[in-house]
Amino acid sequence: MLFKQLFEPISSTYTYLLACEETGEAILIDPVLPTWQRDLAEVSKLGLKLLFTLDTHVHADHITSALTLKREAGSRIAHPAIDALTCVDVPIEEGTPLAVGTLRIDPLFTPGHTDGHHAYRIGERLLTGDALLIDACGRTDFQSGDPTALYHSVAGKLFALPDETLVYPGHDYEGRWVSSIAQEKTRNPRLGGNRSLESFVELMNGLDLAYPKFIDFAVPGNRECGVCPPGVPDNLSQYCDQIGESRQG
C-alpha cells in the first residue's frame, strides 16, 4: 500500500492519500478545497488514478474538495450514508468495506463529534477524523454532537482495537503526525486513563468553546460535497481559495 499524509495549514487538516501499488488505484480521505491542485499533482506524480474521495463527516472547519476532484479527475464521491447527501456516489456504512484495488477500507461508525461521523481502518492504520485526536478529541457542542455518544465511540469501539494500531487524526494543531491506540488509552487527557463516562460528559459540557468561525459556510457547502457558498466574507476567503505547496509527510 502507498500511504501519504498531507497537511493543509489553514484549518490544520490532514488529508490522506492511499493507493494500491498493484493497480495504481487511489483514494483521498478528507481532501480540502484550497489544496485540491496539490493533491491531484501528488496523484499524478505517483502515476496513480484517483478512484474515490472519502470524508469522515460533514466538516465545520473547512470545505471538502470532493466535488472539485470529481469534476477535474473523474473520481467518485464516497461519504457516510447516514448523512443522506444527494451528491454522494458511494454511500458508506460500517460492515461494508470499500475496496480500492487490493486495499480494504473498513468504515467504523463513530458518532459524537457529529451524528454521522465515521473513522476508517486500513490494516494496522486507523484514520480517526475528529473523533479521536492526538491527546484530544473533537468537540461535541454542534452538528448534533453528543459527548455520551463520543465516549462510547472512542472508549468502547476505537480503544478496543489492538494497542499497536496507528492513529492518524483529522487535525493536529501542534505539529504532531501520528499516535497509537496504546498511547491514547494511556495519556489522552480527555479520554485516556480509564476516564469514566460521567467525568467525560462533565468535561465536554464545561469546555465553553468559541463558536466555530467558518461553520455557517462550511456545513452547507459540505452538504453539497464541496461548494463554497455565496457570501463568504473577505476575512474567510482563504478557506475557498487555492493555496500553494504546504508541508507533506
Side-chain angles (χ1 to χ4, degrees):
M1 176 177 66
L2 187 151
F3 181 92
K4 292 187 72 71
Q5 186 177 20
L6 307 166
F7 184 74
E8 186 276 298
I10 297 168
S11 58
S12 297
T13 298
Y14 284 124
T15 295
Y16 296 92
L17 171 60
L18 289 75
C20 168
E21 292 186 288
E22 293 182 25
T23 65
E25 295 176 339
I27 184 170
L28 282 165
I29 298 179
D30 282 344
V32 185
L33 188 57
T35 50
W36 72 266
Q37 287 189 323
R38 175 207 66 183
D39 295 345
L40 270 191
E42 192 71 22
V43 170
S44 177
K45 181 178 74 174
L46 295 168
L48 305 172
K49 176 178 175 55
L50 186 62
L51 212 61
F52 299 106
T53 58
L54 173 62
D55 280 278
T56 50
H57 62 293
V58 175
H59 305 279
D61 57 356
H62 67 266
I63 291 180
T64 178
S65 59
L67 195 61
T68 298
L69 292 170
K70 179 179 180 177
R71 182 185 69 236
E72 298 293 330
S75 49
R76 303 177 73 198
I77 298 173
H79 188 93
I82 190 172
D83 288 324
L85 306 186
T86 58
C87 50
V88 168
D89 301 307
V90 183
I92 297 297
E93 295 180 298
E94 181 173 336
T96 304
L98 177 66
V100 181
T102 60
L103 300 185
R104 171 179 167 143
I105 299 172
D106 287 294
L108 299 174
F109 183 41
T110 48
H113 173 62
T114 69
D115 55 358
H117 191 285
H118 280 63
Y120 301 113
R121 187 182 185 190
I122 308 97
E124 65 178 10
R125 293 179 172 94
L126 178 68
L127 276 54
T128 55
D130 289 18
L132 177 62
L133 305 176
I134 298 175
D135 287 346
C137 65
R139 57 194 291 181
T140 58
D141 56 337
F142 56 77
Q143 286 182 271
S144 301
D146 182 341
T148 297
L150 184 59
Y151 182 90
H152 290 306
S153 292
V154 176
K157 182 173 290 186
L158 301 186
F159 283 178
L161 296 173
D163 282 352
E164 61 270 23
T165 303
L166 297 174
V167 170
Y168 289 92
H171 301 277
D172 194 79
Y173 309 97
E174 298 183 28
R176 298 166 299 191
W177 293 77
V178 62
S179 182
S180 68
I181 289 296
Q183 177 173 308
E184 297 309 314
K185 283 167 64 175
T186 302
R187 56 174 269 182
N188 189 298
R190 292 188 179 177
L191 285 151
N194 295 312
R195 182 185 286 273
S196 70
L197 170 61
E198 293 74 20
S199 174
F200 177 72
V201 170
E202 181 180 8
L203 170 69
M204 297 302 290
N205 286 341
L207 290 178
D208 193 26
L209 299 171
Y211 188 74
K213 61 183 176 181
F214 195 54
I215 187 172
D216 292 333
F217 303 100
V219 171
N222 285 324
R223 292 199 65 83
E224 295 184 58
C225 294
V227 173
C228 203
V232 175
D234 289 344
N235 67 313
L236 298 177
S237 63
Q238 69 269 28
Y239 288 93
C240 295
D241 297 338
Q242 180 197 347
I243 62 174
E245 288 288 319
S246 58
R247 65 186 174 98
Q248 303 180 17

